[in-house]
Amino acid sequence: MRFVARQPKEGINVSDTHPLVEAGTLVVGLTAIFVIIAVVLIFMVEVVLYFVSAEDEAKLFDGWLPEDLVTVSYTDERLLETQALVDRLVLHWPDAPYEFRVEIDDSEQANAMALPGGLVIVTQGLLDEVESENELAFVLGHELGHFKNRDHVRALGRGVVLSIFFAALTGNDVAGIGIKSADLTLRSFSRRQEARADDFGLQVVNSEYGHVNEAWHLFERWGGKDDSIIDLVKYLSTHPDSGDRAATMKRHAEEKGWQSDGEITPLSW
Amino acid sequence: MNFGMPLLILMIAYFIGTHLEKRHFQSILKREDEARGFPVVSFDTMPDNWTASRSDLVSGSVVISLDYFKRVIAGLRGLIGGRIKTYEPLLDRARREAVLRMIEDARSQGYDAVFNVRLETSRLANATRNGKGTAGVEMLAYGTAVKFASRFANAQ
Amino acid sequence: MIISNTETIPGRKIVEFYGVVTGNTVRAKHIGRDIMAGLKNIVGGELKGYTELLSDSRKEATDRMIEQAQSMGANAVVNVRFATSSISQGAAELFAYGTAVRVE
């Protein structure tokens, strides 16, 4: 038995795929897989929506509030008036399947949300921002439009389903996921959904006041503002650009022949 | 979200990591060339025709870690499974480095050959993130080094 | 190519030996298998997905070791040892090594 010095051939234990090729393949492949899964999940939400009617939803979410919502007191004057305004606006949507509830979120960021079961959430920031009842009425009418098109359940369903999917992916505890307002940031409406809600909002405002004056005033102001205002950036990023939006609404009102001037109702606060 | 910083780190990690890996492989090839002719075998017992005057346990080890870029690729690969190609050069060079260090250990003590070589791999878990992450991989090579009683004993 | 995990091959005589040869591969399990295994873990028993994955990988490591031995002109690998180690979360290294020899 004799020792003969020999070296094995180089590179047998190393694959010759270039790391960048491997990275490219993985990124493209995984993106494709995620997109497919997301599309399937969104489709499943649509199927559920088809089988769960708005009445069922209203029953199911009766009295429900997001777990970590910080609301203002029930005796707040602004809450009572906003609720009264919603109640008046709903009169122009005769077969509304919900009993609308208003809650005020204690947040500085101007925003309004439509949540399952006819829950309308407006933020303190929004109430500080609006200058007339007409402006506020339009924002509320816009949210009613989301309810009418059932965008709210769709968006929430997607948000919850996708967050469960990502939790499963990253190995987090799936069972620990409740509907929290953190999930609500996952909600985003498409521009088409926003435009349809805008149309409905305008229609409601027109029926209530007989004109649509000041309805898009809020968006005109926002559109003229510097985008660096951090509070608004987030809002604007999920919504169409405010300037464009005001112009679209103006055009829509003209087409419908709605009066664009009329008496402005001031806010009581 | 800001993707700028992570991307920059990824790029830096890729270029520096690739450079270091290339240099390490060059160094390994050079040292393996020098170590050629030094018998390293995994026989449990010493070959019959070797006669040893003395022997001792020798070892060589190295802890090595993957660059951030390749770790990210490995993480992505972990989602779909399959061969993690970016880990292979790491393990290959770590193992050869460990064997080389073992040989250098033996040589520095005047030994002529190593038999009963064993190779071990172990993972060093990260102290952070519940020990889920990998701080590095240790490669250990050890064996019994012998000094031949006669220079020509193993030539027959 | 003769593979043996003893240092001799019964009935054959080793004439030359060339040194240590190695073969390794790193594999990751994928999420699908993980989920199935997670379910199977509840009742226990064989995790077929993993058995398959590891034996495939071990075969690949052995093949690479054999390729190294062939490149050295050997016709047998003796004293072969297998090792499995976890390299990172969800990734395992399958490793085989032995001594490349020439038998009569």
Side-chain angles (χ1 to χ4, degrees), chain A residues 17-267:
Chain A
T17 314
H18 194 278
L20 288 179
V21 175
E22 170 89 348
T25 321
L26 281 172
V27 168
V28 171
L30 283 172
T31 312
I33 292 172
F34 289 166
V35 166
I36 291 169
I37 292 175
V39 166
V40 168
L41 291 178
I42 286 169
F43 177 74
M44 278 161 54
V45 171
E46 291 296 318
V47 170
V48 171
L49 266 187
Y50 182 80
F51 288 107
V52 180
S53 70
E55 285 80 6
D56 294 338
E57 176 210 324
K59 242 180 270 163
L60 199 65
F61 284 92
D62 184 35
W64 169 83
L65 279 180
E67 280 165 37
D68 52 351
L69 181 77
V70 182
T71 56
V72 302
S73 144
Y74 279 94
T75 55
D76 190 283
E77 168 209 16
R78 301 205 287 189
L79 175 63
L80 298 175
E81 285 198 27
T82 311
Q83 176 76 58
L85 183 54
V86 168
D87 291 342
R88 266 193 289 142
L89 293 174
V90 176
L91 296 178
H92 304 287
W93 177 12
D95 50 352
Y98 304 99
E99 238 177 82
F100 290 99
R101 288 180 295 145
V102 177
E103 293 289 351
I104 298 178
D105 177 22
D106 192 22
S107 151
E108 289 303 306
Q109 187 188 318
N111 209 344
M113 281 180 274
L115 294 182
L119 181 61
V120 182
I121 291 181
V122 291
T123 60
Q124 294 269 32
L126 180 78
L127 295 180
D128 293 339
E129 194 87 33
V130 291
E131 289 176 357
S132 67
E133 191 184 289
N134 303 61
E135 279 180 20
L136 180 59
F138 171 71
V139 174
L140 295 172
H142 171 92
E143 297 308 321
L144 293 184
H146 281 315
F147 282 111
K148 191 165 200 300
N149 302 325
R150 303 197 74 196
D151 296 335
H152 64 301
V153 212
R154 196 169 280 126
L156 189 70
R158 281 179 197 175
V160 171
V161 163
L162 287 181
S163 60
I164 289 174
F165 168 58
F166 282 116
L169 200 68
T170 53
N172 285 334
D173 188 10
V174 179
I177 292 180
I179 303 173
K180 298 198 182 99
S181 49
D183 290 333
L184 303 179
T185 55
L186 282 169
R187 304 169 356 130
S188 68
F189 298 130
S190 69
R191 274 163 185 254
R192 201 169 54 89
Q193 288 176 320
E194 291 296 346
R196 276 170 69 195
D198 277 350
D199 291 352
F200 186 77
L202 278 182
Q203 186 195 318
V204 167
V205 167
N206 185 60
S207 315
E208 172 67 20
Y209 298 99
H211 62 82
V212 292
N213 194 12
E214 291 237 334
W216 51 76
H217 195 201
L218 183 66
F219 299 103
E220 273 176 346
R221 284 209 305 283
W222 281 354
K225 263 190 190 171
D226 186 4
D227 268 355
S228 67
I229 296 170
I230 298 161
D231 275 0
L232 291 181
V233 168
K234 217 175 158 194
Y235 186 81
L236 295 178
S237 67
T238 59
H239 285 64
D241 180 67
S242 295
D244 288 355
R245 206 168 158 190
T248 312
M249 280 188 262
K250 205 176 258 175
R251 217 178 316 120
H252 182 75
E254 277 164 15
E255 278 168 23
K256 294 271 180 178
W258 291 331
Q259 284 284 322
S260 63
D261 53 308
E263 203 188 327
I264 302 303
T265 317
L267 287 163

Side-chain angles (χ1 to χ4, degrees), chain B residues 42 44-45 80 82-83 123, chain C residues 7 26 28 30 60 79 87 99:
Chain B
S42 68
D44 290 334
T45 53
I80 48 172
R83 191 195 289 174
R123 172 165 77 107
Chain C
E7 54 182 271
V26 190
H30 66 77
E60 191 186 4
N79 226 10
I87 296 298
T99 302

